[in-house]
Amino acid sequence: MKRLLLLDAYGLIYRAFFALPLLTTAKGQPINAVYGFTMMLNKVIAEEKPSHVIAAFDKGMPAYRVALYPQYKAQRQTMPEDLRGQFALVRRVLEAYGIPVAEIEGEEADDVIATLATKAEAQRAQTLVLTGDLDLLQIVDERTTVLATRRGITDLARYDGAAVMERFGLVPSQLADYRGLKGDPSDNLPGVPGIGEKTASKLLQAAGTLDALVADPARAGSPKLQRLIEEYGSQAQLCRDVSRADRDLAVEIDWERSRYESPSDAALYPLFRELEFKTLLAKLKPPEDLPLLAGGEQMSGTYRSYVASVDPPEFTRLAQELQAMANADHVALALHEGALGVSSRAGEGLSFSIEALAHEPVRAAFSAALGSARRRAVHDAKRAEHALHAHGITARFEDDTMLGAHLLNPSRSFADVNDALAELLNVGPLQEAAPVADATLQLAQRIGERLDERDQRALYEEVEVPLAPVLATMERAGIAIESSELDRLGGEIDGAVERLQQRIYDFAGEEFNIGSPQQLGNILFGKLQIPGSKKTKTGWATGVEVLFALAREYPICALVLEWREMTKLKNTYVDVIPQLVDPRDGRLHTIFNQTATATGRLSSTNPNLQNIPVRGDLGRRIRRAFVAKSGGYVLLTADYSQIELRIMAHLSGDEAMRSAFEEGQDIHDFTARRLFSVAAGEHVDPNQRRMAKSVNFGLLYGMSDFGLAQRLEISRAEAKEITTAYFARFPSVRAYIHKTLQEGRRNGYVATILGRRRYMPGLTSSNFAVRSAAEREATNAPLQGSAADLMKLAMVRVDRGIREGGLDAAMLLQIHDELIFEVHERDLHATAHLVRSAMEGAMKLNVPLETTLKAGVNWYDVEPLRNV
């Protein structure tokens, strides 16, 4: 039989704190509450041997209780300072024991426990409740028993139905009525003046229920009590209604997750050692592979936690502390596991549940502190803005330590603030929001100093930091999806895949799993004896580079590549996108990442829209599902034309290339004429243009003669001739590449136009393969990075222009060199003009920037805009 133990964690922590003298670690961290809680937990588990354990926490006060009785718990004293930080430690203890937490925003632990006990009873499980007060005795029944603390932390009273009757002379179901009559000073419930515990019990024994007593006050048995019931009966009913445990909350029992297994010594030892639980440590065996203490210094300061606060006086005090931060020069925020940390002075900080912003005094004080600061800092401003926006608060930050740390070291994303703290402040991992806010305040200053040393302040303050709120707004906006279009496309792809599959089987002479590299390799290189692959430990190599080289001569290889493309299209986009659409608004909300790439380019996830297909009609048709919302709106797309080649012309200063762009010529046609000596007046044939385009883009990525030969399917000697001819026609391009590599070896990095750095230690490697790869990256990084900087700067300026112009337009997506907007038709011309002006004027180059503008009801059917 399942035996469920439910912990009233909030009440037990309070009981332990006041039952034990103040205990601290050598560093001054109070631990008496968490120590007492752990001792109670160990005792009950050892004696009761539960099969499942769940801990319940208060997470606010139910709105209906406050609405019934606004003074509910209003007289509570503020939480002792030495107790505040211990709630987070108790959660770490529960995590080490593998005990899940049940909590619901705006609900009390009593109600969570009552609901879980009711649901456990429905499954015929036995429930044991461990609590620090007697309010939960009302849920006692044949399957639910309550253990309540009496004295200290180990003296427990067991209450079943008989014990409740013996103690109160009442059955458990009468206890809410009982509390309504006698009141409860701890919750600010007045009850009926003059009626105490004994009288309340006698009255209910006589009348049965409070409602029966109020309906017939004569049942009180004396004129005095009758008058009290007549005068205060409705007040007693109100107190009773507030006292009833809610047994119908939206919480379920996860029986698998809550199954209790004794934690290993290895799980408990590091935590108990950190908390200096010497008595408990003595019972554990130290793990043989116990890791060294985490490196880095520990943050020290004055930190106050209001995370566990649920009573009105606590919110009043929190508001006062926040108000005291108003007009501070710098304010730093930290989001950490549902808590919000705030610091306005090094060595200080406070934290509270972000849900406390629902209380007006806290909200107003927080807004005042945030709004009056000269500089606001946070780690991951986009995430912070989303969290605050959900509570109706608009925030802008001048410092984002995640973005700043990434600029200093672009090889890391620094999504976790502890990574930045370790690298830049030599601070060890932090577990709570208040010290994280303090550390963020200090981290912002350190990052600012380092950025100044590297002349990257402008890139940080004018591009990266202002872009974060733009991306947050785009993420919230999303883009409308026409799922029926994807359904139609999916049917077509299924048909195409089936036909391809049959043709592959015909070539193979048998059916097999085309998606299995092992089976495919056996068919192609074993059965059909196709040359050109090599056998590895796991079978034949069947990667795209192998099959691509064979596709021209062996049709089955080309069919397999096409089959892979079709199935990937279906599995990655056509089937997945509808599942990611938010059912509340029918829109797809992708997530943009600012620190995921070393080049500075944005990436996106859920889904990755940067890889939306651009080749093949079926692939491009996915875009038809991306539509403008109804009501007179259209999609506007704006695409930089050949931006990286234009940046190459600017950086290299090559006169021929610059002339081509200044004259508005087709750069690939222009290149083909010079490579293949096409005379003026003669047409460049499509194959020559194709080859010129491959050379243009290949050289941007540092492509070797061998790589160019593979791409163009020509000999290496021919590729070398083309490369030599290219650099002869564009000599400054070769000089620029040579100069870039030289400076990269000397400085250890290459840089974009705006100063974004890409560190290249491989440029000086003695390993040829490593050095060659680094040279290719170093050639491309300034070009791709400058294009990324340009796009980001343009996005910031376009967003500002839309807001200042009051245009009915929204930026929705950024896909490489393209921006996508949703615009009302009446503002289409004005928006298009703004977008073109902002994009083409975002950065001053020695060649003109060109933007292609299109509009339509969906992303696929957009048509060029004229006269913009």
Side-chain angles (χ1 to χ4, degrees):
M1 180 180 291
K2 294 173 182 173
R3 185 169 172 81
L4 174 65
L5 172 62
L6 298 175
L7 305 172
D8 176 14
Y10 197 89
L12 294 173
I13 295 168
Y14 256 93
R15 165 67 68 169
F17 179 79
F18 287 106
L20 297 178
L22 181 63
L23 304 172
T24 66
T25 65
K27 295 179 180 179
Q29 167 68 55
I31 56 169
N32 56 328
V34 63
Y35 178 74
F37 177 89
T38 307
M39 294 295 287
M40 282 191 279
L41 180 64
N42 284 344
K43 173 183 172 63
V44 172
I45 287 178
E47 294 178 354
E48 303 296 335
K49 297 179 173 53
S51 62
H52 298 76
V53 184
I54 300 174
F57 278 84
D58 284 10
K59 195 76 169 169
M61 289 194 296
Y64 79 91
R65 284 199 178 108
V66 177
L68 281 173
Y69 188 63
Q71 290 77 37
Y72 179 59
K73 295 188 177 182
Q75 89 304 342
R76 289 277 182 98
Q77 297 296 311
T78 56
M79 189 182 298
E81 286 298 328
D82 292 331
L83 174 57
R84 294 188 184 282
Q86 297 194 58
F87 280 84
L89 298 178
V90 169
R91 288 179 182 263
R92 292 179 62 194
V93 168
L94 292 170
E95 183 180 0
Y97 275 76
I99 297 174
V101 168
E103 56 188 347
I104 302 176
E105 196 61 51
E107 302 291 352
E108 294 181 284
D110 284 7
D111 302 305
V112 173
I113 289 171
T115 299
L116 294 177
T118 301
K119 294 190 174 183
E121 183 175 358
Q123 297 192 34
R124 304 186 64 79
Q126 293 287 342
T127 300
L128 187 66
V129 178
L130 179 62
T131 181
D133 61 48
L134 302 179
D135 295 347
L136 279 167
L137 294 185
Q138 61 182 288
I139 71 171
V140 168
D141 56 27
E142 291 183 356
R143 292 187 176 274
T144 301
T145 303
V146 170
L147 288 178
T149 54
R150 286 191 293 207
R151 293 180 300 274
I153 58 172
T154 56
D155 184 9
L156 304 176
R158 181 183 298 272
Y159 288 95
D160 55 13
V164 171
M165 176 62 73
E166 181 180 350
R167 168 75 185 269
F168 300 98
L170 302 170
V171 296
S173 61
Q174 292 177 298
L175 291 183
D177 287 356
Y178 168 79
R179 195 164 180 246
L181 281 169
K182 77 176 185 64
D184 187 342
S186 67
D187 286 346
N188 206 33
L189 300 178
V192 177
I195 292 183
E197 295 180 0
K198 292 182 179 180
T199 303
S201 179
K202 290 179 180 179
L203 287 172
L204 289 172
Q205 289 173 27
T209 67
L210 176 59
D211 289 339
L213 182 62
V214 172
D216 185 7
R219 292 189 179 193
S222 73
K224 177 183 177 182
L225 291 175
Q226 181 176 337
R227 286 194 301 272
L228 288 174
I229 297 301
E230 289 173 346
E231 183 175 356
Y232 296 103
S234 59
Q235 180 171 285
Q237 289 174 312
L238 178 61
C239 293
R240 183 269 316 275
D241 293 344
V242 171
S243 300
R244 278 177 173 160
D246 189 342
R247 297 169 177 258
D248 195 28
L249 297 184
V251 60
E252 299 293 336
I253 301 174
D254 187 334
W255 290 107
E256 187 58 37
R257 185 163 172 255
S258 61
R259 186 183 305 279
Y260 182 76
E261 296 181 1
S262 297
S264 66
D265 289 0
L268 298 180
Y269 198 93
L271 179 59
F272 286 0
R273 183 179 65 172
E274 177 187 337
L275 297 177
E276 299 177 12
F277 288 174
K278 297 178 182 177
T279 302
L280 295 175
L281 269 176
K283 300 177 182 179
L284 302 177
K285 178 182 178 182
E288 293 181 0
D289 59 344
L290 183 69
L292 297 175
L293 289 174
E297 301 174 359
Q298 295 299 308
M299 290 293 297
S300 60
T302 303
Y303 305 123
R304 296 171 300 286
S305 173
Y306 290 85
V307 173
S309 298
V310 293
D311 299 327
E314 284 285 291
F315 294 129
T316 299
R317 181 170 176 182
L318 170 59
Q320 291 170 348
E321 291 213 42
L322 288 170
Q323 191 65 50
M325 294 184 179
N327 301 314
D329 194 46
H330 291 70
V331 169
L333 303 187
L335 285 170
H336 188 73
E337 297 183 355
L340 187 60
V342 188
S343 175
S344 63
R345 184 180 303 168
E348 296 182 5
L350 60 86
S351 60
F352 56 92
S353 169
I354 195 169
E355 301 300 333
L357 293 173
H359 299 267
E360 187 50 43
V362 176
R363 177 191 179 88
F366 175 78
S367 297
L370 197 62
S372 61
R374 183 177 64 85
R375 290 188 75 92
R376 289 151 287 237
V378 72
H379 193 85
D380 193 349
K382 179 163 67 72
R383 174 171 168 256
E385 187 181 333
H386 279 317
L388 295 176
H389 183 271
H391 290 82
I393 295 176
T394 300
R396 289 293 184 268
F397 298 91
E398 288 72 31
D399 285 300
D400 184 333
T401 53
M402 181 183 77
L403 301 179
H406 177 68
L407 280 180
L408 295 174
N409 183 357
S411 66
R412 303 183 66 182
S413 69
F414 294 104
D416 186 340
V417 65
N418 283 310
D419 293 340
L421 296 176
E423 181 159 318
L424 294 165
L425 290 183
N426 191 33
V427 168
L430 300 179
Q431 302 291 337
E432 297 178 32
V436 172
D438 175 24
T440 300
L441 189 70
Q442 300 179 48
L443 183 61
Q445 181 178 351
R446 176 68 58 84
I447 286 173
E449 294 168 353
R450 297 280 296 277
L451 291 173
D452 285 337
E453 293 171 2
R454 299 186 182 193
D455 293 326
Q456 291 182 308
R457 174 75 75 167
L459 176 61
Y460 174 67
E461 293 187 342
E462 297 174 18
V463 179
E464 292 295 345
V465 174
L467 181 64
V470 176
L471 296 177
T473 302
M474 292 167 63
E475 289 178 356
R476 288 194 294 271
I479 187 168
I481 297 295
E482 186 63 65
S483 295
S484 60
E485 181 63 34
L486 292 175
D487 291 340
R488 285 192 292 272
L489 182 58
E492 292 184 39
I493 292 177
D494 285 340
V497 167
E498 189 173 340
R499 290 190 293 272
L500 285 168
Q501 190 170 277
Q502 189 56 54
R503 291 182 65 192
I504 292 169
Y505 292 160
D506 291 343
F507 274 105
E510 63 178 274
E511 294 187 3
F512 64 99
N513 182 357
I514 304 171
S516 166
Q518 187 174 26
Q519 291 187 36
L520 177 64
N522 289 336
I523 290 291
L524 297 181
F525 309 114
K527 180 179 179 179
L528 300 180
Q529 295 290 301
I530 295 175
S533 182
K534 58 183 178 181
K535 206 163 189 179
T536 66
K537 292 181 180 180
T538 57
W540 294 98
T542 59
V544 63
E545 68 286 345
V546 174
L547 298 187
F548 184 80
L550 297 170
R552 205 171 194 182
E553 189 172 351
Y554 299 95
I556 188 174
C557 295
L559 291 171
V560 169
L561 288 174
E562 190 176 354
W563 179 90
R564 285 180 179 176
E565 186 175 350
M566 289 291 103
T567 54
K568 180 180 179 181
L569 197 66
K570 183 81 160 35
N571 297 334
T572 305
Y573 296 104
V574 177
D575 290 344
V576 172
I577 287 177
Q579 299 174 23
L580 297 176
V581 171
D582 190 331
R584 293 170 297 182
D585 60 9
R587 297 174 78 89
L588 180 71
H589 300 267
T590 190
I591 298 171
F592 294 100
N593 306 303
Q594 255 179 288
T595 64
T597 67
T599 61
R601 300 195 79 160
L602 293 174
S603 68
S604 65
T605 53
N606 292 331
N608 177 8
L609 296 180
Q610 307 295 335
N611 287 338
I612 286 283
V614 295
R615 291 182 300 175
D617 184 61
L618 283 178
R620 287 196 302 272
R621 275 180 49 197
I622 290 175
R623 301 179 177 219
R624 187 169 281 160
F626 291 71
V627 301
K629 64 183 178 182
S630 59
Y633 288 86
V634 296
L635 295 184
L636 168 67
T637 68
D639 193 355
Y640 274 124
S641 172
Q642 299 167 339
I643 187 59
E644 290 185 17
L645 286 169
R646 292 174 190 269
I647 290 173
M648 172 62 90
H650 168 81
L651 291 174
S652 68
D654 190 90
E655 290 298 331
M657 191 175 284
R658 286 172 59 183
S659 296
F661 284 121
E662 287 169 357
E663 295 167 7
Q665 296 190 44
D666 179 320
I667 188 64
H668 304 311
D669 184 274
F670 179 86
T671 302
R673 288 182 180 278
R674 277 152 181 76
L675 279 178
F676 304 109
S677 301
V678 179
E682 293 184 14
H683 290 293
V684 171
D685 69 49
N687 189 53
Q688 288 174 327
R689 187 181 185 281
R690 177 185 68 85
M691 296 177 74
K693 184 175 181 180
S694 292
V695 175
N696 274 330
F697 285 116
L699 291 173
L700 293 181
Y701 291 89
M703 185 180 291
S704 65
D705 295 337
F706 178 74
L708 185 62
Q710 282 193 313
R711 172 172 290 192
L712 296 179
E713 299 179 345
I714 58 178
S715 69
R716 192 166 180 178
E718 290 175 296
K720 185 173 180 59
E721 287 181 15
I722 291 175
T723 302
T724 301
Y726 182 93
F727 285 127
R729 300 299 190 275
F730 304 104
S732 296
V733 172
R734 165 161 276 177
Y736 163 74
I737 294 174
H738 180 69
K739 177 185 175 184
T740 299
L741 296 180
Q742 276 192 319
E743 291 181 349
R745 293 187 185 98
R746 182 174 62 251
N747 299 328
Y749 65 86
V750 294
T752 67
I753 296 171
L754 295 185
R756 183 185 303 277
R757 295 183 181 183
R758 177 83 185 274
Y759 289 89
M760 295 288 176
L763 287 175
T764 56
S765 173
S766 58
N767 184 297
F768 175 78
V770 172
R771 188 173 65 254
S772 297
E775 288 175 350
R776 290 192 294 272
E777 290 182 357
T779 299
N780 176 250
L783 306 171
Q784 190 178 111
S786 292
D789 292 346
L790 171 63
M791 175 57 82
K792 290 177 175 179
L793 190 56
M795 292 172 71
V796 171
R797 296 189 177 189
V798 170
D799 176 76
R800 184 186 305 129
I802 289 174
R803 286 185 286 108
E804 292 176 352
L807 297 172
D808 191 354
M811 194 183 325
L812 305 184
L813 297 176
Q814 185 272 334
I815 313 293
H816 296 310
D817 302 329
E818 183 177 12
L819 292 176
I820 302 169
F821 304 83
E822 190 172 60
V823 188
H824 198 282
E825 289 176 326
R826 64 173 173 268
D827 284 341
L828 178 59
H829 188 275
T831 303
H833 179 77
L834 164 69
V835 170
R836 168 162 283 165
S837 176
M839 291 181 69
E840 295 182 356
M843 191 183 291
K844 184 64 176 176
L845 301 183
N846 294 331
V847 294
L849 292 174
E850 184 176 307
T851 308
T852 302
L853 297 171
K854 298 179 180 180
V857 293
N858 64 61
W859 191 12
Y860 180 84
D861 292 317
V862 289
E863 297 290 340
L865 281 178
R866 309 296 182 188
N867 303 317
V868 176

